[in-house]
Amino acid sequence: MEYPLKKYSHLVSLDDSQPASQAMLFGTGLTEEDMRKPFVGVASNWYEGNTCNMHLRDLASMVKNGVRDAGMVGLEFTTIGVSDGIANGTEGMRYSLVSREIIADSIEAVMGAHYYDALIVLPGCDKNMPGAVMAMLRLNRPAIMVYGGTIATGEHAGKKLNIVSAFEALGEKYAGTISDEDFRAVIRNACPGPGACGGMYTANTMSSAIEAMGLSLPYSASNPALSAEKHAECVAAGKSLYNLLEQDVKPRDIVTREALENALRVTVVLGGSTNAVLHLLAIAQTAGIPFSLRDVQAISAQTPVLADMKPSGRYHMEDIHAIGGVPAVMKYLLEKNLLHGDCLTVTGKTVRENLESLPGLPEGQDIIAPLDAPLQATGHLRILYGNIAEEGSVAKITGKEGERFEGPAIVFNNEFECIEGIRAGRVQPGHVVVIRYEGPRGAPGMPEMLKPTSALMGKGLGKDVALITDGRFSGGTHGFVVGHISPEAFDGGLLALLQDNDNIVIDAANNRIEAILTEEEIARRRQAWKQPDFKIKNGVLYKYARQVSNASFGCVTDL
């Protein structure tokens, strides 16, 4: 008999139309009975060189077992990953955002070439998740994302540690406030084993957003990497996927405008990374859903920050897990009419149906503030416009850094110049630090500025300076920072024309970022400016620089 759920891989079923396909699959060990079953691609971002991804091969094996138990054939393959933690502060960081597109392209290519019926993806690090989701949406076959899970916290001298602790320790070393012995101890103990960076940084932000969007099973975002719950989730994914095949529920049935709003709402409530803006815009572009920076601002302005999470707060994702995970947070938001409850999810049920039988937030917890006493009454994600950012920019304003900063610019043409300027004492209280030519085309690859911002924090300047850039920020960044400035310097945005001591005003209350310059002075400088050559002349970075859209469209390469 043929399996009615075998919709794409019927091309390699037991007929005479594809004898070579059959021969090669028999060569892998499949049986004639297997050939009648749905084929499921099990795609992981496994590689050994990163704590976020090092365990994904083991999780993929568990997923494959669950797929087999559900009566399907699981076929594992891997795609790439780039470790932001390893690449940050180096030229290697140019490849980070680029990897999102490579991940999406490669998953699409394997699935499309081999006609698999469905897909389960296992991402670990930051760009893995949006890349996987973009592939799911392009293919539009039943699919589930299983997040690799969060890392446990490290510890030294009675203090909890995470990856950002290592970067900030460097700033303390510059300032002479940490011993060499303690500096080395922080580095040795910050990452104690498998899992993604433990605060509400980009990986945990995106896993939470994607769970809220409906593309992963409840608790996927908050189940720790090495937990029994994560292992059970991996096995359960197969049964859930079979249900999606039966119902013919596909990613574009799930990712709607309302689902994107749920994802952004949860991101803001949790105090999530600015990178979520970039990735949600890209996901929306891929799904064909109109969703802009102005939509981000509108939702953020209506949403409070409730979670006291790292980097600006006290807690880690493992602490969210202990109070009921992302579902408990979502249940609270649904009760307060802050989520769309009728959105479909990969369980085959709606958000409301998923949450009905799940526990809510426990009494006495202090990680998620009540709605009537929020940590911040409106969202921390601010979209700023002005002559510096005519097409928009993204700020993360938690309330701890204030809402207005005005000061003289100190201008650096790349992050390495900036790091040296911080180390040498050139950056002083009151400065607006400008890092330019770090955008998607100019860098290329729009690297994160985690090393400069962490160095500023570690050196004690975090509350006394602001930083603006056409690059990105890590989810671990905090302070008065504005990124994603569009147009970027490479494309002739005003950022390219700024000079030391230009007066810069950042007004997060009114969502403005301005250089106090006359139109005549801007025109004079623009006439003298010449667009630089691409820094890279071949290979993947060159192709990316030529194809990529600007940050206001999510830095996609297929517009």
Side-chain angles (χ1 to χ4, degrees):
M1 62 174 280
E2 292 293 332
Y3 282 67
L5 303 184
K6 193 175 175 70
K7 296 189 176 183
Y8 297 93
S9 59
H10 70 276
L11 295 176
V12 289
S13 190
L14 291 177
D15 58 32
D16 296 330
S17 63
Q18 294 290 333
S21 299
Q22 293 175 35
M24 296 190 78
L25 288 165
F26 282 133
T28 70
L30 295 188
T31 65
E32 292 196 6
E33 179 63 19
D34 290 333
M35 299 289 249
R36 297 186 175 95
K37 299 175 182 177
F39 286 178
V40 177
V42 179
S44 77
N45 295 85
W46 171 81
Y47 63 105
E48 287 183 306
N50 183 19
T51 56
C52 306
N53 299 68
M54 61 189 285
H55 62 306
L56 296 182
R57 183 168 61 176
D58 295 334
L59 296 187
S61 295
M62 298 176 196
V63 167
K64 184 176 176 181
N65 289 339
V67 166
R68 179 200 61 214
D69 293 346
M72 301 176 289
V73 174
L75 296 164
E76 287 187 64
F77 63 97
T78 60
T79 182
I80 69 156
V82 168
S83 169
D84 290 5
I86 292 172
N88 247 310
T90 75
E91 292 286 358
M93 193 63 194
R94 276 78 183 132
Y95 291 91
S96 172
L97 186 58
V98 178
S99 74
R100 185 188 74 184
E101 312 307 303
I102 298 172
I103 290 162
D105 292 349
S106 60
I107 294 174
E108 176 194 353
V110 172
M111 289 287 298
H114 299 143
Y115 293 96
Y116 295 164
D117 299 286
L119 172 66
I120 297 178
V121 291
L122 293 101
C125 197
D126 298 8
K127 311 311 169 294
N128 301 176
M129 280 162 281
V133 167
M134 290 162 70
M136 291 162 69
L137 289 164
R138 291 180 193 174
L139 292 158
N140 204 33
R141 300 173 192 177
I144 293 175
M145 189 191 92
V146 176
Y147 176 44
T150 187
I151 196 172
T153 52
E155 189 273 333
H156 173 63
K159 181 180 177 182
K160 281 190 173 185
L161 302 175
N162 60 75
I163 185 61
V164 176
S165 305
F167 284 102
E168 293 185 353
L170 179 62
E172 293 173 26
K173 186 175 182 179
Y174 289 165
T177 58
I178 189 173
S179 69
D180 287 344
E181 181 181 356
D182 282 338
F183 175 68
R184 296 303 306 171
V186 168
I187 293 170
R188 283 194 304 271
N189 292 288
C191 297
C197 301
M200 194 47 62
Y201 310 141
T202 304
N204 285 326
T205 296
M206 289 313 301
S207 65
S208 300
I210 290 164
E211 181 175 327
M213 200 184 298
L215 290 178
S216 56
L217 297 174
Y219 299 104
S220 183
S222 41
N223 285 337
L226 297 182
S227 65
E229 294 94 332
K230 180 58 67 180
H231 295 172
E233 176 195 342
C234 289
V235 175
K239 183 177 180 181
S240 296
L241 187 68
Y242 190 88
N243 181 49
L244 293 179
L245 278 162
E246 281 191 312
Q247 297 184 35
D248 196 28
V249 173
K250 299 181 287 291
R252 292 193 181 208
D253 301 320
I254 293 170
V255 181
T256 61
R257 165 71 187 222
E258 291 75 19
L260 285 167
E261 290 181 3
N262 282 350
L264 183 57
R265 191 85 70 181
V266 168
T267 296
V268 174
V269 163
L270 294 176
S273 166
T274 53
N275 281 315
V277 176
L278 203 66
H279 298 322
L280 290 174
L281 290 173
I283 288 168
Q285 288 279 352
T286 306
I289 299 170
F291 198 71
S292 71
L293 284 175
R294 295 193 184 277
D295 294 316
V296 172
Q297 180 57 57
I299 293 168
S300 184
Q302 300 165 6
T303 308
V305 178
L306 302 181
D308 189 14
M309 297 287 287
K310 293 283 185 181
S312 57
R314 295 176 291 167
Y315 293 105
H316 296 81
M317 195 58 153
E318 64 185 16
D319 300 308
I320 291 281
H321 173 68
I323 62 166
V326 170
V329 178
M330 290 179 64
K331 186 164 187 170
Y332 180 71
L333 298 181
L334 185 63
E335 290 168 356
K336 301 297 182 181
N337 297 314
L338 286 174
L339 291 183
H340 300 286
D342 295 332
C343 291
L344 189 62
T345 75
V346 291
T347 65
K349 300 178 181 178
T350 65
V351 168
R352 180 176 287 106
E353 290 169 336
N354 285 344
L355 298 175
E356 277 175 349
S357 62
L358 300 181
L361 294 169
E363 293 289 333
Q365 62 82 28
D366 63 349
I367 301 170
I368 306 298
L371 194 63
D372 58 3
L375 299 184
Q376 188 173 322
T378 57
H380 63 298
L381 297 178
R382 306 288 180 88
I383 309 303
L384 277 56
Y385 293 91
N387 62 4
I388 291 178
E390 293 179 353
E391 296 176 15
S393 62
V394 181
K396 182 177 182 179
I397 305 297
T398 66
K400 296 182 179 180
E401 58 285 285
E403 290 197 322
R404 191 178 193 280
F405 196 103
E406 181 173 355
I410 180 168
V411 180
F412 301 99
N413 286 324
N414 58 63
E415 69 169 308
F416 307 110
E417 286 185 7
C418 179
I419 292 165
E420 176 57 26
I422 296 167
R423 189 198 66 78
R426 289 182 56 208
V427 177
Q428 293 294 313
H431 273 143
V432 176
V433 178
V434 177
I435 309 179
R436 63 189 178 195
Y437 296 108
E438 296 288 12
R441 280 162 43 85
M446 202 182 180
E448 293 177 349
M449 300 294 107
L450 178 58
K451 193 169 183 178
T453 56
S454 297
L456 288 170
M457 284 290 175
K459 203 167 184 183
L461 290 169
K463 295 181 179 179
D464 300 318
V465 301
L467 188 150
I468 67 174
T469 181
D470 48 7
R472 298 181 294 122
F473 295 114
S474 164
T477 293
H478 53 124
F480 211 122
V481 297
V482 182
H484 305 204
I485 288 175
S486 298
E488 62 176 289
F490 183 88
D491 288 334
L494 183 58
L495 202 67
L497 310 181
L498 295 179
Q499 298 175 3
D500 286 351
N501 296 314
D502 285 344
N503 198 42
I504 308 294
V505 177
I506 307 167
D507 183 354
N510 295 296
N511 299 327
R512 301 297 296 173
I513 179 168
E514 304 274 357
I516 309 304
L517 296 169
T518 65
E519 289 299 321
E520 292 76 14
E521 176 62 15
I522 292 172
R524 184 188 67 79
R525 294 185 189 183
R526 188 172 300 284
Q527 189 172 21
W529 179 80
K530 182 180 178 182
Q531 185 178 48
D533 292 334
F534 285 124
K535 292 179 183 176
I536 307 294
K537 301 299 175 63
N538 59 17
V540 68
L541 292 179
Y542 177 64
K543 287 186 283 188
Y544 184 84
R546 292 188 62 184
Q547 295 175 328
V548 69
S549 69
N550 71 24
S552 65
F553 291 99
C555 294
V556 295
T557 56
D558 55 358
L559 271 182

